[in-house]
Amino acid sequence: MHLIYLFLLSIFVSKADGNSRKTIFQCDQHFDESQPEGVIEFPSLPKQLALSHGVNNSKPEQQYNLQCVYTFVAGSRQRVRLEFDHFLLSGSSENCDIEYVDIYSEVESVDEDILSSALGGRYCGTVAPHVRISLRRVMKLVLHSRSTNHEDNHGFRAKYSFIPEDKFIAGEPVGGKKCSFIIDSSDRKIGTLYSPTYPGTYPHNMHCSYLMKAGRGERIRLFFTDFDIFFGGEHCPYDSVTIFDGPTPASPIIRKVCGLQQRMEVYSMGNSLLIHFNTTHPAKSDPRGFIMDYEFSTRFVNIDKLLNKQRGVTHIRGTECDVRVESNRETFHTISSPNSIQPTPPAPTSFMDFRESRTWRRLYLPLIL
Ligand SMILES: *[C@@H]1O[C@H](CO)[C@@H](O)[C@H](O)[C@H]1NC(C)=O
Ligand SMILES: *[C@@H]1O[C@H](CO)[C@@H](O)[C@H](O)[C@H]1NC(C)=O
């Protein structure tokens, strides 16, 4: 039995309002995993019903008020995915009062009052919401309309589906938090981490933390294959991803980033890394978050051995084996290629950074080993 429950599709309120007759329809619909995917469309008022309440859709002057709540409830270990392929409502992004869609993608339970839920975004005009993925099992979409626009292509169409939540469970969840995980090398050496609700627009006012714990002698490599975080300014004062070179926020920061990044790669110095993903207010651009591959391995260059306690030679944080050689007077340093005794594939690339005081000169010598 496939079920699209039409809970209420017949409530109306009519009242005299000057000359025009206002009809408020409620047209709530409920979807659950008994139908794994489907399409919702507006306008979708059955003609018969509209007519029986005196609404003639072909008469532009006829006004009605509409509030439809679409509730999507995923099964256990599932999320709701919603993707719009047509969107043309009245109004413009600055002025959404005649007709709009509100999306609530962080709803805890079906019974939760949407007035107390975080609004994930309000959309109208021609700017369609991007893909949405619920943070938990429930997503609600509320359509408000008192538009008199009855043109043919006016309305929206979206495809919904229920998807497995596995890929959003990055590791061992930490104490009831929505998106705090410990990722331990003893569970797996290689993995992929998706930010919550990726590639759907991420929730605002969210704090996620990922603690990566490597084993003895291992270092950690992160590689971001997609990265789209709202760019709020040079030092990322709003949404950001911060990578700490150690287990706590007191550890040195390798990088704090936002905006669009391509193929960003980061190595830990030792055997732990902490990642914070903090978001603030709703971003107009509907950013999608990030995908990050990670690897715990002993094959990465051992920094202590590489530097061999030489004064003035430092490792450049976040890289596998780039070093900086700094000197005030004539000194002698030995730079040996990492793992020079037994080369291990794939060969790392090192960059040496020589600095002299006064005449500040920078010189990179790529040594392909
Ligand atoms: C609805 O309005 C159109 C255009 O004014 C008219 O042709 C049509 O007969 C009306 N339908 C009903 C059922 O009133
Ligand atoms: C992220 O937000 C949490 C909670 O508000 C805060 O404790 C933490 O310091 C923030 N992290 C960064 C890097 O700003």
Side-chain angles (χ1 to χ4, degrees), residues 11-235:
I11 313 300
F12 68 96
V13 180
S14 293
K15 63 178 182 193
D17 179 16
N19 301 327
S20 72
R21 187 175 143 91
K22 270 196 177 171
T23 306
I24 301 176
F25 278 101
Q26 281 194 348
C27 37
D28 299 356
Q29 297 187 39
H30 185 101
F31 305 88
D32 66 25
E33 96 259 42
S34 60
Q35 168 120 348
E37 57 177 58
V39 168
I40 57 168
E41 257 177 307
F42 169 76
S44 61
L45 272 185
K47 259 208 170 97
Q48 254 38 37
L49 181 83
L51 288 175
S52 70
H53 294 315
V55 174
N56 184 340
N57 280 328
S58 359
K59 276 190 181 167
E61 69 279 7
Q62 193 123 41
Q63 270 201 4
Y64 58 91
N65 267 357
L66 200 63
Q67 174 177 297
C68 308
V69 182
Y70 301 79
T71 305
F72 302 89
V73 185
S76 68
R77 304 189 58 81
Q78 280 187 336
R79 302 285 191 91
V80 184
R81 181 191 164 104
L82 194 63
E83 185 162 13
F84 288 79
D85 61 4
H86 173 66
F87 196 87
L88 184 60
L89 299 185
S90 303
S92 65
S93 52
E94 278 73 44
N95 184 3
C96 269
D97 49 349
I98 293 179
E99 188 172 52
Y100 53 87
V101 160
D102 282 345
I103 297 180
Y104 299 87
S105 51
E106 300 159 56
V107 182
E108 295 264 8
S109 74
V110 189
D111 309 321
E112 184 177 317
D113 183 3
I114 46 174
L115 291 177
S116 61
S117 316
L119 173 60
R122 172 165 295 181
Y123 301 86
C124 68
T126 55
V127 184
H130 286 196
V131 181
R132 283 287 166 148
I133 291 175
S134 63
L135 186 60
R136 301 186 183 84
R137 282 174 54 194
V138 182
M139 171 132 61
K140 291 193 183 195
L141 183 150
V142 184
L143 168 81
H144 297 266
S145 176
R146 45 190 181 85
S147 171
T148 52
N149 185 342
H150 299 296
E151 280 163 31
D152 274 355
N153 59 355
H154 170 254
F156 70 76
R157 186 174 56 240
K159 190 181 166 214
Y160 71 85
S161 54
F162 299 109
I163 58 168
E165 76 165 351
D166 309 13
K167 73 172 181 184
F168 299 111
I169 311 296
E172 193 60 41
V174 179
K177 300 256 185 65
K178 285 181 246 172
C179 57
S180 289
F181 296 99
I182 294 177
I183 299 148
D184 199 304
S185 137
S186 59
D187 294 332
R188 61 179 97 151
K189 296 294 178 197
I190 288 183
T192 301
L193 190 154
Y194 293 82
S195 63
T197 78
Y198 181 94
T201 304
Y202 57 70
H204 46 266
N205 295 322
M206 187 177 60
H207 167 53
C208 300
S209 93
Y210 307 93
L211 175 60
M212 325 267 316
K213 286 166 121 174
R216 184 185 272 271
E218 287 178 334
R219 292 177 67 198
I220 308 159
R221 173 183 183 263
L222 310 180
F223 185 68
F224 292 82
T225 51
D226 190 21
F227 191 99
D228 176 19
I229 307 291
F230 169 66
F231 180 79
E234 204 185 332
H235 301 291

Side-chain angles (χ1 to χ4, degrees), residues 206-209 236 238 240-244 249 253 255-256 275-279:
M206 187 177 60
H207 167 53
C208 300
S209 93
C236 306
Y238 301 103
S240 62
V241 168
T242 309
I243 306 169
F244 300 93
I253 291 177
R255 236 175 248 185
K256 181 172 184 181
I275 302 167
H276 276 186
F277 174 30
N278 284 6
T279 70

